[in-house]
Amino acid sequence: MLAGYAVHVEGSRGRRFPEPPHPYRNDFQRDRDRVIHARAFRRLEDKTQVFTRRYSDHFRNRLTHTIEVAQITRTVAAALNLNVDLAEALALVHDLGHPPFGHAGEKALDAAMRAHGLFFDHNLHALRIVEDFEQRYAAFRGLNLTFEVREGIIKHSCDYDPAKHPELAEYLLEQRPPLEAQLIDLTDEIGYNTADLDDGYEAHLLTLEQIRAGLPVFERFFREIEETYPDVPDKLKFNEALKGVFNRLADDLITNTQARLRQTGIETLTNIRLYPKRIAALSPAVEAERKQIKDFLYENLYYSPSLAGEKDDAERIVTELFDFWMKNPAALPHYYHEKASQESLPRVVCDYIAGMTDHFIAEQYEKYCGGN
Ligand code: MG
């Protein structure tokens, strides 16, 4: 049973281009499936999350991260009686706009755009992918997703200023997004905070002692498991303790959001939209633990010297290729020549680079900048 404050598919504002109903799937299920079948979704397999393939084939890439976020989101959405189909579609689409080489690639692409008075934003880019770049249908460009999925792409992780983004006016920027979208920012964090501890430990960039000393919440679960299973290998104790942290975060997101719904007396989707703040949230105590994990990862993993070389390479490759195509637009593929007649060259070059996989951009670099 869907809650009154959930998004009901029958109440969807629909698609830009109306389509006949499907015999077996509702509109949000179809949107989820359209995302899964998108070329941009398949490319996530070869986009860095934190670690490149150099480390291990076991580590997360953006595709497996996305699947993990979808798993957490489905569980949390179902426990809150939200629309699981919509929440899952939003989880699967949430990283679609990320450029190659993770955060370093994104930073370099944004810096290249800022030199031309523009900027790069992965949520806005994801919207461009689903609205324009994906070409599957004869009748229209893009995936023709429902309003609620497009709105969630824009609004799940940040609030855009309506004055600065008149082009996004249709997405009701002055209102809060539905709970299904609000969840994504938090399930994304639960996913990558725990996964990055796992991959960081496996990569030997984080030690067990370091994690136990730096994260009291992990230490509590670790001690419990040591008492119950003193003789199992450290890796299994680590897994069990991490599972404890993971469940604590997800469980708190559910129970605290339920508590906030009760306290605010929210009963309808309109209440959610018009409430001055987001309702999906962790409780203050667990929020502090979440922040501690995030800070720990920044201090000990994301900026670790072992990853610095790859980041420098990523920034150099993105920056030099961007400059190359700005100076040599004729070397862009034919499709982008057409685009360049409709939009500024920096935007066209940015779109091209943002869509690339790690492998493809490295190949392009070799081809055009390899002699440098
Ligand atoms: Mg993500």
Side-chain angles (χ1 to χ4, degrees):
M1 267 298 287
L2 280 195
Y5 47 74
V7 178
H8 293 242
V9 71
E10 310 79 38
S12 168
R13 290 173 196 231
R15 308 181 185 282
R16 280 196 200 287
F17 306 95
E19 295 180 46
H22 191 276
Y24 313 119
R25 295 172 300 158
N26 71 42
D27 277 341
F28 294 150
Q29 291 170 338
R30 288 174 90 181
D31 281 5
R32 174 200 61 204
D33 298 347
R34 284 175 191 203
V35 170
I36 290 173
H37 288 275
R39 295 208 315 179
F41 186 76
R42 294 197 289 279
R43 291 199 302 266
L44 295 175
E45 186 191 10
D46 187 23
K47 292 200 184 217
T48 296
Q49 177 71 18
V50 173
F51 294 97
T52 61
R53 285 265 159 83
R54 177 166 78 87
Y55 276 90
S56 160
D57 285 350
H58 299 150
F59 290 0
R60 277 82 175 174
N61 57 47
R62 242 177 233 287
L63 180 63
T64 59
H65 159 72
T66 294
I67 293 169
E68 291 181 359
V69 173
Q71 179 270 314
I72 305 164
T73 303
R74 277 196 312 270
T75 303
V76 174
L80 292 169
N81 296 320
L82 294 172
N83 192 314
V84 176
D85 298 326
L86 173 61
E88 185 179 17
L90 291 176
L92 291 170
V93 83
H94 90 278
D95 268 355
L96 210 66
H98 273 281
F101 299 143
H103 185 65
E106 182 168 18
K107 211 175 103 195
L109 195 53
D110 184 55
M113 288 294 273
R114 286 189 190 270
H116 298 276
L118 299 162
F119 65 95
F120 175 77
D121 175 297
H122 67 258
N123 291 333
L124 299 179
H125 187 69
L127 188 66
R128 291 162 71 77
I129 291 173
V130 303
E131 286 270 79
D132 187 20
F133 304 150
E134 286 289 326
Q135 295 183 50
R136 300 183 64 80
Y137 305 104
F140 42 75
R141 293 183 71 89
L143 301 179
N144 196 30
L145 301 177
T146 54
F147 171 86
E148 290 74 15
V149 174
R150 287 179 282 126
E151 181 198 22
I153 289 173
I154 289 301
K155 288 161 67 173
H156 71 271
S157 61
C158 65
D159 299 317
Y160 291 90
D161 181 351
K164 286 192 186 139
H165 291 278
E167 80 283 6
L168 299 176
E170 69 175 301
Y171 297 115
L172 317 169
L173 295 185
E174 66 294 340
Q175 296 182 8
R176 256 28 70 217
L179 269 182
E180 286 83 350
Q182 293 186 24
L183 286 185
I184 304 298
D185 200 32
L186 294 148
T187 52
D188 184 24
E189 275 225 18
I190 293 171
Y192 70 70
N193 279 338
T194 51
D196 293 348
L197 284 174
D198 190 24
D199 288 348
Y201 176 59
E202 278 280 297
H204 305 292
L205 295 182
L206 299 172
T207 66
L208 189 54
E209 293 66 39
Q210 201 182 2
I211 298 171
R212 291 182 64 181
L215 298 175
V217 60
F218 179 92
E219 174 64 6
R220 284 203 305 276
F221 287 108
F222 194 88
R223 283 195 181 185
E224 264 174 42
I225 208 70
E226 251 190 342
E227 268 172 40
T228 327
Y229 296 101
D231 301 324
V232 302
D234 273 357
K235 175 59 183 166
L236 293 183
K237 289 180 194 159
F238 172 89
N239 287 352
E240 293 283 351
L242 192 63
K243 187 185 81 179
V245 175
F246 187 115
N247 286 340
R248 179 170 166 84
L249 292 166
D251 193 49
D252 185 77
L253 174 57
I254 294 164
T255 52
N256 188 61
T257 302
Q258 280 166 338
R260 284 164 67 83
L261 284 162
R262 273 196 307 275
Q263 286 153 12
T264 51
I266 280 175
E267 285 177 0
T268 67
L269 176 58
T270 307
N271 294 156
I272 294 277
R273 286 188 173 285
L274 298 182
Y275 197 74
K277 285 189 287 192
R278 291 179 182 233
I279 292 292
L282 298 170
S283 65
V286 177
E287 170 60 21
E289 290 167 357
R290 178 205 64 80
K291 192 172 175 306
Q292 195 168 42
I293 300 172
K294 193 167 180 157
D295 292 346
F296 176 87
L297 287 166
Y298 269 93
E299 277 164 37
N300 299 293
L301 181 66
Y302 301 147
Y303 291 112
S304 83
S306 313
L307 297 180
E310 274 172 5
K311 279 196 195 157
D312 292 347
D313 289 349
E315 286 188 26
R316 193 182 65 250
I317 290 172
V318 169
T319 308
E320 287 186 22
L321 271 175
F322 190 96
D323 291 344
F324 171 79
W325 278 307
M326 284 303 295
K327 288 186 194 124
N328 305 280
L332 286 166
H334 182 72
Y335 168 79
Y336 290 89
H337 293 189
E338 258 168 60
K339 280 269 160 200
S341 63
Q342 299 150 10
E343 294 190 77
S344 74
L345 184 59
R347 178 59 64 195
V348 172
V349 172
C350 175
D351 284 344
Y352 185 39
I353 291 177
M356 291 179 185
T357 59
D358 291 8
H359 172 79
F360 186 74
I361 195 171
E363 223 176 58
Q364 296 295 298
Y365 184 73
E366 199 49 46
K367 182 172 170 188
Y368 292 117
C369 311
N372 290 0

